[in-house]
Amino acid sequence: MTVAAAPLLTVRDVHVRFAKPRGLVDLLLRRPASAVRAVEGANLALLPGETLGLVGESGSGKTTLGRAILGIHRVAEGDILYRGRAMGDPMPDWQQRLRREVQMVFQDPYSSLNPRMTIAQTLAEVLRFHRVVPTDGVDDEVKRLLDVVGLPQTMATRYPRAMSGGQRQRVGLARALAVRPSLLVLDEPVAALDVSIQAQILNLLADLREALGLSMLFVAHDLSVVRHVSDRVAVMYRGRLVEQGTRDEIFTAPAHPYTRMLLTAVPQLVARKRARVVQPATEMTEATAGGCPFAPRCPQAVDRCRAEAPAEVRLSPTHIAACHFAGG
Amino acid sequence: MRRWSPSLWIGIGLLAVIVLAGLFAPWLTPYDPLRQDYGAALRPPGPGHWFGTDSLGRDIFTRSLYAIRTDLVIGFWTTYVPMVVGVLLGAYAGLVRGWFDTVLMRVIDTALAFPFLVLIIVILAILGPGTQNIYIAVFLVGWTMYARLARAEMLVEGGKDYILAARTLGYPTSRILLRHALPNIIGSSIVFSMSDFVLNILLVSGLSFLGLGVPAPTPEWGAMVAEGKDFMQQAWWISTLPGLMIVVTGVALALLGDGLTHRLGDRHVTGG
Amino acid sequence: MSPAADAGALLRVEALEIAFRVRGGDVLATRGVSFEVRQGETLGLVGESGSGKSVLCRALLRLLPSPPAQIRGGRVLFDGVDLLALPEARMREIRGTDIAMVFQNPMTSLSPVWPIGDQVTEGLRIHRGLSKSAARDRGVELLRAIGIPDAARRYDDHPSQWSGGMLQRAVIAMAMACGPRLLLADEPTTALDVTIQEQILALLADLQAKNGMAMVLVSHDIGVVAETCDRIAVMYAGTLVETGPAAEVLGNPRHPYTLGLMRSSPRMDEHATRLQPIPGQPPDLARPAPGCPFVERCTFARDACRHESVRLREVAPGHASACLFPESVV
């Protein structure tokens, strides 16, 4: 990992909040909207050519953070910098450039394609709108894209409904690649696929990354998948990044108890009927204000954890954890 | 892939016959729909006048044919202008949400709080009778149904990732709305418009009956049925054919709507 | 009551064939599926989407809507009684008392308008005739047993107040209320986070051990099954392709599909740069071809696989494979 390289993407103390819907009366009285905190103070950096796995459970804010990078959610506080420049920078053509250089691949291959457009139409629209190739080159470019994602040319005239989940996910990938992006945000790209198909897509991603030098932010809940694709891993819990490190640091020397809990929970492919004890459901227990958000579920929690939020501890140049006990 | 159901075929066929009959009315009948002939008043059905004549001696069959033009045109304007406007507003509100959505929904709720017919009559009372004012009145009330329908569909469709994908690709809102969302949400509005079309014809007929609708000599089914009411005892045939025409048009549109439901609503997933 | 009550087999499915009548023909959801579940045992039923595992599970309780579903043949013997031949009234008694089921989505498994506790104990009041207060006492006990903190107070909560993991616990409590002898769990943890999944699997294993109940655990995740089950049955395209003790099937797979499933899963314990996916797509169940259903995707396929019919044959004691050449699977 070359520390010297300038990051492609920098997420600096980013907060994202969702306003609860307001009624007409609230609107007329200009009452402020109350907000749900989805992401609280996230810091990340992504180097060119690197894949960062963003892991967490549902409600951790990982998808929200990924979408904030795409500009789908507004950032309430903090900055997201792309190539060192703020995403909201008023420079002419900057937004247009961002729309091309940063692309997204979605989770659900069934809803992420317009059901009334053929595959060729979907791809051609992107190419024409962004003028990626001259108009007379669009057809050839569509063919090339299908080739790149490993789909036969006969698929071009098909509608999404006549394709399997894996094939649709390849189309979703082709659509993202059409504008020749540098950064892909992948939101659970294989979560909806069967294992055997999932492996096909993961291999395809590895090939594309190699061939095109793409950077990827890989958002997922499945640690075995994240381990397979990532150079570095960031773990989120309830809107906060609790641990970050290289793949080996996270998987062989996890420092945050939540990361350890995630790792031991992943089912292994070995027949081992484990002795089981009923653990109480603690996931709904609210953390005390000012304390560590993970304290109610943490097997190691002490009084200090409930009273004082842990600061980030730097365990190595690449390894950070937000726990009082990290690093001894 | 998608099948054309028999009801769709029969609906289209029936409607085509009706439209053609309206278009070719001058060639299908030797009479003038407006010319009065007191010598031939109240003739029962028979040779010369297959469906009889009315109290002014006008041929019922001829007037019913010419009325196709009046009624289909009325049905078209009273249905599809509100539909286009309503669907666009509703879909836009469902897509962008926020204050536009809040305000639009309150307006719609207010409009829907009044009985449909009462509201139309009030508006007509203000504007005065006449075909054009009927269009305006029905439009002012009718778009709300389509806006609600389109908004509800848009809320579902807007949550799907292909809409989000279009946004991440930087497409403008108008393009997302018109090219991506509308083709996927328009189905239910089109199906609804089929029954709305018939209801609007009946509505205009009812208004004509009240004297607020199509002015007197113009052949119009509802007005003709109303005229026949006074002669029900001695000349039942005056109301029969125009009434039947309303029913047949209704059946044709209902079949069309049913067939379209299957065709447009058929989004089942194959493969996967 | 039946001659077939052989030692310990609580559930015995024989040559079950289920078809769905759809536009343009019949789809065979399961073909000649036979297996058994012994008293107190956990059988893991693994397969990908469309393999027929959920259909099979529902068919055991006769919960498939008919039409379009049709049971074309076979028997489902529970305690020696063929469930498929029972009158509906008798079947209703069996559901919820002798056999209970847990579904995939806890969010939709409970009605949003009634208190959770009342829903958990509804079966006790219907099947066991418990009074409202007795049911409540038992319900609080059940909620406590499944790890709900402050159970007496939370009895009256509504589903929207609980998390998915807690709701799935409640759904399990509901299934356990009448002390069933067989629990059918259809992807009970698929909708849940991995840490919650672990808790739910632990809960199921614990309840099973305490009550001596048998369980069929349906999952697409071979890892979940590996950690929870005594025996595994692998399903592909409506047929069982391999059955056997968990350690045996995972340690020494004798069907190329089982092997393919294992190789295509990313591992936590070793890092491979490339996974080995199973090439191609599952076959179209509306057009069953002769021969092995896996032949088009199989790297070991030979000519015979295209023509000869396949069925489960024992390759080792208790371990059966539907591959014609099980010894060549490595």
Side-chain angles (χ1 to χ4, degrees), chain A residues 190 198 202 218 220 222-230, chain C residues 266 268:
Chain A
V190 296
Q198 169 180 311
L202 289 175
F218 195 100
D222 187 332
L223 282 124
S224 53
V225 170
V226 166
R227 181 188 156 136
H228 184 77
V229 299
S230 308
Chain C
M268 287 293 282

Side-chain angles (χ1 to χ4, degrees), chain A residues 245-288:
Chain A
T246 63
R247 182 181 63 223
D248 290 343
E249 282 166 345
I250 296 292
F251 284 90
T252 56
H256 197 284
Y258 177 61
T259 312
R260 285 199 288 272
M261 185 187 264
L262 279 179
L263 289 175
T264 50
V266 177
Q268 309 278 302
L269 265 186
V270 188
R272 43 154 197 178
K273 215 176 155 182
R274 291 194 278 188
R276 309 267 192 189
V277 266
V278 176
Q279 305 147 29
T282 51
E283 67 262 26
M284 292 282 280
T285 316
E286 279 301 315
T288 43

Side-chain angles (χ1 to χ4, degrees), chain C residues 27 219 250:
Chain C
V27 172
S219 181
L250 294 171

